[in-house]
């Protein structure tokens, strides 16, 4: 007979929807920032911080893309876990290029890292995680905030041409496009990035119906957005921005995972959205300076 406590924990870790059948995403709890200011609580230093991730997670993937776009591979250490989810969080197995154990602490589960940072932590053990080796704690586990740290905080440690002030178009989050990028991020996050999970983890027909149609309405909107010559070849013109990074991690998984596993199957990207498909292929296959040698392709693990 199965241990009752273990069974309850396993049921909880895989239960993603609320009583009304709607998927509810957990709010990240570690929200500090790394800063270029040497007097900050978490000052930028080469070799001090570690990015923990799972190659299958889109939220972690967008941080990994930015790490590569910025040339931070030798500045921020990467630790990769397997895609197997357990009641103790993501696991280390050494399969498919992942680490056999946490190289810093010898842990076998992500859970142990969270509890090292906060012994009273009582929520899901999510990725990505940005860890500070000096203070032995989690700096941040919210991907949208981590990527923005990486834009600017570590520029002193990378090649001049990769620093935001020297990047064509003003970098990944240029001032003249911030309002437009933030506006797109808002509806793309709610209906596409998180929308596929609202569909896939819906546990009632009503919850599924409430989210499947807004998802495809937004994909239609993105297809139309790319019809404007000012929004080519990338979402806001000739250079990659944060908006491209955030959308890519969902669409690269769409036909191969969300369409079938999550039943987001009214349309496919490669068959029904020609402009989005071209945009997606361009980002994936490009290995030139715009992607810093293939940041999108090199961080994508099918």
């Amino acid at each position: 007979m199965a241990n009752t406590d273990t069974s309850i924990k396993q049921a909880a870790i895989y239960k993603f929807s609320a009583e009304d059948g709607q998927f509810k995403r957990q709010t990240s709890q570690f929200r500090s920032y790394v800063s270029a200011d040497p007097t900050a609580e978490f000052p930028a230093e080469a070799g001090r911080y570690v990015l923990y991730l799972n190659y299958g997670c889109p939220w972690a993937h967008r941080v990994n893309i930015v790490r590569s776009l910025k040339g931070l591979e030798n500045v921020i250490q990467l630790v990769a876990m397997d895609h197997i989810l357990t009641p103790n969080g993501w696991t280390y197995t050494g399969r498919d290029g992942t680490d056999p154990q946490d190289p810093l602490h010898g842990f076998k589960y992500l859970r142990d890292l969270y509890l090292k940072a906060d012994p009273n932590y009582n929520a899901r053990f999510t990725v990505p995680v940005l860890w500070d080796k000096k203070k032995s704690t989690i700096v941040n586990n919210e991907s949208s905030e981590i990527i923005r740290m990486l834009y600017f905080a570590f520029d002193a440690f990378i090649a001049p041409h990769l620093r935001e002030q020297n990047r064509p178009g003003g970098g990944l989050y240029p001032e003249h496009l911030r309002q437009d990028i933030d506006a797109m991020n808002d509806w793309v996050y709610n209906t596409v990035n998180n929308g596929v999970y609202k569909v896939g983890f819906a546990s009632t027909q009503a919850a599924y119906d409430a989210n499947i149609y807004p998802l495809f309405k937004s994909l239609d909107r993105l297809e139309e957005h790319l019809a404007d010559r000012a929004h080519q070849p990338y979402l806001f013109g000739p250079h990659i921005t944060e908006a491209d990074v955030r959308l890519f991690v969902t669409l690269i998984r769409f036909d191969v995972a969300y369409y079938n596993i999550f039943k987001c199957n009214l349309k496919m990207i490669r068959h029904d959205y020609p402009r989005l498909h071209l945009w997606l292929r361009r980002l994936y296959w490009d290995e030139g300076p715009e992607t810093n040698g293939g940041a999108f392709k090199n961080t994508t693990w099918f």
Side-chain angles (χ1 to χ4, degrees):
M1 182 175 178
N3 179 279
T4 302
D5 291 339
T6 300
S7 299
I8 292 172
K9 289 180 181 178
Q10 288 176 336
I13 201 70
Y14 295 117
K15 187 178 187 300
F16 296 105
S17 60
E19 294 305 316
D20 62 358
Q22 295 277 358
F23 169 67
K24 309 293 184 183
R25 184 166 295 282
Q26 173 180 292
T27 301
S28 301
Q29 296 189 24
F30 294 89
R31 309 297 284 270
S32 297
Y33 276 80
V34 175
S35 170
D37 182 352
T39 66
E41 180 184 8
F42 296 100
E45 296 176 14
R48 174 170 175 168
Y49 299 96
V50 184
L51 175 62
Y52 285 84
L53 54 72
N54 173 323
Y55 289 129
C57 172
W59 315 103
H61 188 190
R62 62 187 184 182
V63 180
N64 201 17
I65 289 173
V66 173
R67 176 177 174 267
S68 294
L69 284 172
K70 294 290 297 183
L72 290 166
E73 290 89 344
N74 294 324
V75 177
I76 299 174
Q77 183 180 349
L78 183 71
V79 175
M81 284 157 279
D82 202 339
H83 66 278
I84 296 176
L85 181 61
T86 75
N88 289 319
W90 302 105
T91 59
Y92 294 92
T93 67
R95 299 190 308 177
D96 301 321
T98 62
D99 290 281
Q101 63 181 20
D102 183 336
L104 272 65
H105 312 99
F107 297 150
K108 295 296 289 185
Y109 300 99
L110 180 61
R111 170 185 185 272
D112 298 317
L113 189 76
Y114 270 83
L115 294 181
K116 183 174 178 63
D118 178 5
N120 297 315
Y121 183 81
N122 186 29
R124 293 188 184 277
F125 310 110
T126 61
V127 288
V129 170
L130 189 65
W131 178 264
D132 179 2
K133 289 193 284 189
K134 281 193 174 180
K135 293 192 173 184
S136 197
T137 194
I138 295 173
V139 179
N140 197 294
N141 67 338
E142 169 50 54
S143 65
S144 63
E145 295 175 356
I146 297 174
I147 60 175
R148 291 192 175 177
M149 293 178 218
L150 302 191
Y151 297 163
F152 305 99
F154 296 90
D155 273 6
F157 307 102
I158 59 177
H161 73 281
L162 295 174
R163 298 170 186 168
E164 287 301 278
Q165 64 182 14
N166 299 328
R167 290 176 66 95
L172 293 165
Y173 191 52
E175 288 192 20
H176 69 287
L177 289 175
R178 288 181 183 180
Q179 186 173 353
D180 293 333
I181 290 172
D182 289 346
M184 177 174 280
N185 284 347
D186 182 58
W187 59 268
V188 166
Y189 169 78
N190 284 309
T191 59
V192 181
N193 299 139
N194 202 35
V196 294
Y197 290 91
K198 293 177 182 179
V199 174
F201 292 141
S203 60
T204 66
Q205 187 65 45
Y208 178 86
D209 290 343
N211 292 291
I212 186 74
Y213 299 110
L215 165 62
F216 283 93
K217 183 178 179 180
S218 287
L219 291 176
D220 293 344
R221 181 178 176 183
L222 287 162
E223 179 76 4
E224 185 61 27
H225 176 88
L226 285 169
D228 188 334
R229 294 182 66 86
H231 302 151
Q232 297 173 7
Y234 306 109
L235 289 172
F236 287 104
H239 302 292
I240 293 167
T241 67
E242 175 181 286
D244 296 287
V245 173
R246 288 175 54 133
L247 180 61
F248 176 87
V249 297
T250 299
L251 293 201
I252 199 64
R253 291 164 169 79
F254 198 91
D255 289 0
V256 297
Y258 300 136
Y259 180 90
N260 50 11
I261 300 171
F262 280 13
K263 297 181 175 61
C264 300
N265 50 18
L266 300 185
K267 299 179 184 178
M268 300 184 83
I269 302 302
R270 66 181 180 269
H271 293 314
D272 302 297
Y273 294 102
R275 298 188 190 100
L276 278 171
H277 190 214
L278 177 61
W279 167 87
L280 187 64
R281 285 182 291 148
R282 178 178 285 110
L283 285 171
Y284 181 81
W285 289 109
D286 186 276
E287 295 182 344
E290 189 68 31
T291 63
N292 195 25
F296 291 83
K297 181 176 185 291
N298 295 337
T299 57
T300 299
W301 291 60
F302 288 112

